Amino acid sequence: MVLKYRMDRFSVSMIPTCVSLYTCSRDVFATMLVHRYYNIQQDILSISFLENEITLYVKVLDGNEAVHQVLRTMCTHDPRIYHVIDIHEDIPGIDHIGIIYRISKRFVEKDIPILYLNTYGHNLVLVSEDHMEKAWDVLQEIAYV
């Protein structure tokens, strides 16, 4: 039996690194791996694979501009910089009920677009720099920061 949890309040924190988003095909991704155009452990926050679409969430770090230059030539690039907000709970993200609704409902009211990225142990919300101040104000109202 899987237990489901309703979250009345949750905690958030900022991951200290911002990210840029890139997308490419599996063939392009394989080429990047073969030629080692980036350091996965250092430069990549996350990678998602869905059919022939690979999305790379690449950290914006001092000293990794060369990585971004290569990726911009090989991939489709979103020029915005995204802040990464980590949603904290004591239970795995797969058992949360209503967290996306609660966050996105409040963000919709303030015209704040978000990208929600979930792993087994992390619930991440990506917010572009131009919306970050409003997003943080909303999160302070609905979460422990």
Side-chain angles (χ1 to χ4, degrees):
M1 176 177 166
V2 176
L3 297 176
K4 299 293 182 183
Y5 300 90
R6 184 177 181 282
M7 296 181 2
D8 292 325
R9 193 103 162 140
F10 51 91
S11 298
V12 298
S13 63
M14 295 291 296
I15 291 183
T17 303
C18 292
V19 296
S20 286
L21 276 57
Y22 297 88
T23 187
C24 63
S25 68
R26 287 182 181 269
D27 290 339
V28 170
F29 183 73
T31 299
M32 289 189 291
L33 284 177
V34 167
H35 294 287
R36 298 177 188 215
Y37 287 131
Y38 57 82
N39 179 339
I40 289 178
Q41 291 182 351
Q42 178 181 328
D43 296 318
I44 306 294
L45 175 73
S46 184
I47 302 173
S48 64
F49 298 83
L50 184 59
E51 297 175 351
N52 196 35
E53 176 188 323
I54 311 298
T55 302
L56 303 159
Y57 305 86
V58 183
K59 295 176 186 176
V60 177
L61 301 169
D62 289 335
N64 79 341
E65 181 55 34
V67 170
H68 289 276
Q69 288 176 354
V70 168
L71 290 173
R72 282 191 289 267
T73 64
M74 300 183 76
C75 302
T76 301
H77 172 244
D78 181 338
R80 294 171 286 194
I81 302 294
Y82 289 87
H83 292 266
V84 183
I85 302 163
D86 198 358
I87 311 300
H88 302 284
E89 274 300 301
D90 293 336
I91 56 173
I94 201 163
D95 290 328
H96 290 168
I97 296 174
I99 190 169
I100 296 171
Y101 173 77
R102 293 205 53 234
I103 293 169
S104 62
K105 177 180 181 240
R106 293 297 302 275
F107 280 22
V108 165
E109 292 169 357
K110 301 288 185 179
D111 294 322
I112 304 168
I114 61 171
L115 177 61
Y116 188 75
L117 179 63
N118 193 337
T119 68
Y120 185 82
H122 293 273
N123 299 293
L124 305 175
V125 174
L126 279 59
V127 178
S128 65
E129 279 186 322
D130 50 335
H131 294 283
M132 191 55 213
E133 187 174 332
K134 286 192 303 184
W136 197 249
D137 289 344
V138 168
L139 290 170
Q140 288 178 325
E141 292 173 12
I142 65 174
Y144 299 110
V145 296

